[in-house]
Amino acid sequence: MGDRLYELMDARQAADALDAYLAERAPALRRLRKTLVDHGLDPEEMLDGSVYSVSPLWAWISARATECGVAQHPLTEDPTRHSWSSWARHGRLVDPHPTVGTLRLVDGFVSYLGQILCAAVPGAIWVVGEHRIAAHPLLNRPVLAAGHHQIFLPLFPLYGAYQCAYQRFPMSGTEMLAHTRRTIHALEGGGTEAADLEEPMVTVVAEVGCFDVGLREDVAAHPGLVEQLVAELADRDGILSVYRYGPAAIVVDFPDWDELQLDLWCTLWLQRHLPR
């Protein structure tokens, strides 16, 4: 299977990718515990199993990711790529990307977060992500599911790691705690996140020379937030232009990304900033 992207996998490959992801969880958590010890921290205290513990843990990881910055090599030449966890190798990372040290911290955090969520929602199970939209960010990924909600755990922490590596509005521990609580609520069947499988917050369509980005109705209902999204998107490296031509419609000229990468960035940005 190599480093085949999730969205290009067939059913068997996606099932194997789920098995690989789950097999990596315990080793990733052990590495995180060792890293905490190496930095003079008590893993029993930092990883006490409480929902609240994700806040100080992420704050510490965020600080480390900010210090590490971005990797020296592009994705295609990164000599550490073979050592990354499967979710990073099969996912669509973009350059410049976080260092291998940061990716390992995120991997350990994802393992711990999975334990927290499974303890909070005992009925949640690990499955291969499904969606009626062929290019949806959950498709073929190893997701934690309960009821109508599915979540690919690395997405939000990875977004946070990128923000830290770029030193652009690093995500706080308080934000990660709020995200964790919203996720628990959604897995229990509540919250707006439970509707995401039916209608994604963002729909990206490739047009000639640009991308057409459509926003869900509840997102467009916050015009100030949409303007902030446009401003931050326009500030990304490689963006040639961003134009909002309607309450729920944006045109983006970004030749270095494809539809899925733009969809992921916008979705994760909105998950972080959309009022709840």
Side-chain angles (χ1 to χ4, degrees):
M1 183 167 54
D3 291 347
R4 191 175 184 84
L5 295 173
Y6 282 118
E7 56 268 24
L8 300 180
M9 293 179 180
D10 59 28
R12 179 59 188 173
Q13 290 169 333
D16 289 344
L18 171 61
D19 290 341
Y21 174 86
L22 294 177
E24 293 165 347
R25 294 310 92 217
L29 189 55
R30 287 196 296 269
R31 284 193 297 270
L32 176 60
R33 295 178 69 90
K34 182 179 184 303
T35 302
L36 291 170
V37 171
D38 291 344
H39 284 79
L41 298 171
D42 182 359
E44 299 303 322
E45 179 179 340
M46 293 291 290
L47 310 175
D48 67 7
S50 67
V51 174
Y52 174 77
S53 64
V54 302
S55 179
L57 177 61
W58 180 257
W60 182 80
I61 290 175
S62 178
R64 302 288 79 71
T66 301
E67 290 177 1
C68 290
V70 297
Q72 295 181 349
H73 301 277
L75 287 166
T76 55
E77 301 174 10
D78 194 322
T80 69
R81 187 182 179 95
H82 70 280
S83 68
W84 298 358
S85 288
S86 58
W87 61 262
R89 290 184 286 104
H90 297 311
R92 285 183 179 266
L93 275 66
V94 296
D95 282 322
H97 61 284
T99 65
V100 63
T102 295
L103 291 176
R104 286 173 180 164
L105 287 174
V106 171
D107 196 32
F109 179 82
V110 166
S111 292
Y112 183 61
L113 181 61
Q115 288 189 352
I116 295 293
L117 295 176
C118 288
V121 188
I125 59 173
W126 293 100
V127 298
V128 173
E130 298 179 346
H131 202 277
R132 60 184 174 81
I133 299 174
H136 194 273
L138 292 177
L139 187 66
N140 289 339
R141 285 153 175 81
V143 300
L144 189 61
H148 297 292
H149 188 67
Q150 299 179 6
I151 179 171
F152 178 50
L153 294 192
L155 272 184
F156 202 64
L158 180 61
Y159 170 80
Y162 265 97
Q163 293 295 97
C164 293
Y166 292 173
Q167 299 186 16
R168 289 177 172 173
F169 311 107
M171 188 182 300
S172 68
T174 301
E175 287 181 89
M176 188 59 74
L177 176 59
H179 167 71
T180 302
R181 287 172 170 162
R182 288 195 303 268
T183 300
I184 291 172
H185 186 49
L187 289 170
E188 291 174 334
T192 56
E193 289 88 347
D196 286 352
L197 282 176
E198 294 303 319
E199 185 179 359
M201 286 190 284
V202 175
T203 302
V204 178
V205 177
E207 303 290 354
V208 178
C210 66
F211 297 106
D212 196 333
V213 180
L215 304 176
R216 201 169 64 192
E217 183 178 356
D218 61 312
V219 174
H222 299 276
L225 183 72
V226 177
E227 288 300 326
Q228 184 183 351
L229 169 65
V230 169
E232 289 199 26
L233 188 55
D235 191 45
R236 307 298 296 185
D237 294 337
I239 288 280
L240 300 184
S241 65
V242 182
Y243 172 64
R244 183 183 182 189
Y245 67 91
I250 303 169
V251 171
V252 181
D253 187 354
F254 198 173
D256 293 338
W257 281 10
D258 59 24
E259 296 103 308
L260 183 58
Q261 289 168 321
L262 183 57
D263 189 310
L264 282 173
W265 189 91
C266 292
T267 298
L268 292 169
W269 190 94
L270 288 168
Q271 284 182 354
R272 182 182 184 187
H273 295 283
L274 188 65
R276 307 290 177 172

